[in-house]
């Protein structure tokens, strides 16, 4: 019969691949952008009974998911300058807004990009209780200017920070009355790297470990306790190498990191930056590449901000 169609029948593998692709493409856009495609693919495979799919099919599906996600975002910028241009062009677009409010802020000189919300700024101002100095200064000043536009006063009393000279100097310059508390964990790491004597049962090793107790006493007592430690050194020729480093870097007047930054008697106040480190670890794990496009970064931070809002509301109760 000439009216009959004789199309070739699609193989089962092709049909299964198409079903998987369409299902994953839908979930790629309906789920958070930080959800890795492979995770969505695995979830679909868990519910699939197909035995015809091959590994190359999964690669094809994953590529289709990336393409589908990119349809919801503008073309990815190819450089920092290109990113600035595109953000200026699209900063009022829905995908760059967080719950209808601006999330992306650019200073007049466009030297950096600030991602924050009104809730974050209110939290910063209510907490009264590229690592170059100019960059740090510009960031702090820009945050202050954003707060001023919203009639908020940005004031910091206590700031936990690690041992970055530029960061510390900048904070002191912008907030002269701030109390800086450095991370006790990083202090221990720095001292341990300098403490290369590894004979655990030796008196000298026990003496060297005593230095780690300096961070648990009052800043005004550090120098006196240090002198006492030096007086009982079991091996001056070896111990002096480490003690001189501690004295010149952390104790004597004019040193890089005076005791007021790192010494404190035991209290309930945190003395580490573990909270920030934990956030960075979780944040980095949400990306599929070392250098994700700026719009993917912004979208991921918006998703994170949704969780942050919940935490802020909990704190305020």
């Amino acid at each position: 019969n000439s009216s009959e169609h004789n199309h070739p029948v699609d193989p089962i593998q092709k049909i299964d691949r198409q079903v998987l692709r369409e299902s994953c493409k839908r979930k790629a856009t309906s789920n958070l952008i930080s959800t890795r495609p492979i995770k969505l693919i695995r979830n679909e495979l868990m519910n699939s009974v197909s035995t015809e799919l091959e590994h190359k099919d999964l690669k094809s599906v994953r590529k289709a998911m990336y393409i589908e996600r990119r349809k919801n975002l503008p073309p990815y910028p190819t450089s920092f300058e290109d990113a600035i241009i595109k953000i200026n062009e699209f900063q009022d677009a829905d995908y760059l807004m967080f719950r209808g409010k601006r999330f992306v802020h650019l200073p007049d000189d466009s030297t950096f990009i600030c991602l924050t919300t009104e809730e974050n700024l209110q939290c910063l101002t209510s907490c009264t209780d590229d690592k170059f100095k100019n960059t740090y200064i510009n960031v702090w000043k820009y945050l202050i200017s954003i707060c001023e536009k919203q009639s908020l006063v940005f004031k910091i009393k206590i700031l936990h920070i690690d041992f970055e000279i530029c960061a510390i100097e900048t904070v002191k310059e912008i907030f002269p009355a701030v109390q800086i508390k450095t991370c006790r964990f990083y202090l221990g790491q720095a001292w341990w790297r300098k403490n290369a004597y590894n004979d655990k049962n030796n008196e000298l090793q026990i003496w060297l470990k005593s230095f780690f107790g300096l961070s648990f006493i009052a800043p005004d007592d550090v120098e006196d306790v240090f002198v006492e430690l030096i007086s009982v050194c079991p091996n001056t020729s070896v111990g002096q190498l480490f003690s001189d480093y501690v004295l010149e870097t952390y104790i004597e007047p004019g040193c890089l990191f005076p005791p007021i930054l790192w010494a404190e008697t035991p209290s309930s106040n945190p003395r580490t930056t573990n909270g920030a480190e934990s956030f960075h670890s979780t944040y980095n794990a949400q990306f599929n590449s070392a250098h994700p496009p700026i719009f993917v970064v912004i979208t991921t931070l918006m998703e994170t901000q949704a969780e942050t809002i919940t935490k802020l509301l909990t704190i305020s109760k």
Side-chain angles (χ1 to χ4, degrees), residues 212-277:
F212 292 88
L214 291 176
S215 62
F216 293 92
I217 61 178
D220 293 338
D221 297 332
V222 169
E223 188 171 352
D224 292 338
V225 175
F226 176 81
V227 172
E228 290 184 20
L229 280 173
I230 296 300
S231 67
V232 296
C233 179
N235 188 331
T236 306
S237 60
V238 178
Q240 186 176 359
L241 297 174
F242 179 70
S243 62
D244 284 352
Y245 159 73
V246 174
L247 175 65
E248 295 169 2
T249 311
Y250 298 94
I251 296 179
E252 68 181 8
C255 63
L256 286 177
F257 308 108
I260 191 65
L261 296 179
W262 52 267
E264 182 183 35
T265 54
S267 67
S268 58
N269 296 323
R271 284 307 307 233
T272 70
T273 56
N274 288 350
E277 296 292 342

Side-chain angles (χ1 to χ4, degrees), residues 130-132 136 161-171 180 182-183 186 256-257 261 277:
D130 124 42
K131 304 182 179 180
F132 295 99
Y136 282 119
I161 200 169
D162 55 17
F163 289 84
E164 288 188 32
I165 298 175
C166 284
I168 293 173
E169 290 180 350
T170 300
V171 171
I180 297 176
T182 50
C183 180
Y186 281 111
L256 286 177
F257 308 108
L261 296 179
E277 296 292 342

Side-chain angles (χ1 to χ4, degrees), residues 114-151:
C114 179
L115 306 175
T116 190
T117 65
E118 181 180 343
E119 290 83 0
N120 290 350
L121 296 173
Q122 288 175 344
C123 179
L124 282 173
T125 56
S126 64
C127 292
T128 56
D129 301 321
D130 124 42
K131 304 182 179 180
F132 295 99
K133 188 173 181 180
N134 286 338
T135 301
Y136 282 119
I137 290 175
N138 291 337
V139 169
W140 283 118
K141 287 184 175 180
Y142 188 62
L143 281 173
I144 293 172
S145 69
I146 295 177
C147 290
E148 289 175 347
K149 291 177 182 178
Q150 301 189 32
S151 301

Side-chain angles (χ1 to χ4, degrees), residues 32-49:
L32 300 180
I33 197 171
S34 57
T35 304
R36 293 175 179 267
I38 189 61
K39 183 176 181 179
L40 298 176
I41 293 173
R42 287 171 178 170
N43 287 338
E44 287 299 309
L45 290 176
M46 288 287 290
N47 300 320
S48 173
V49 294

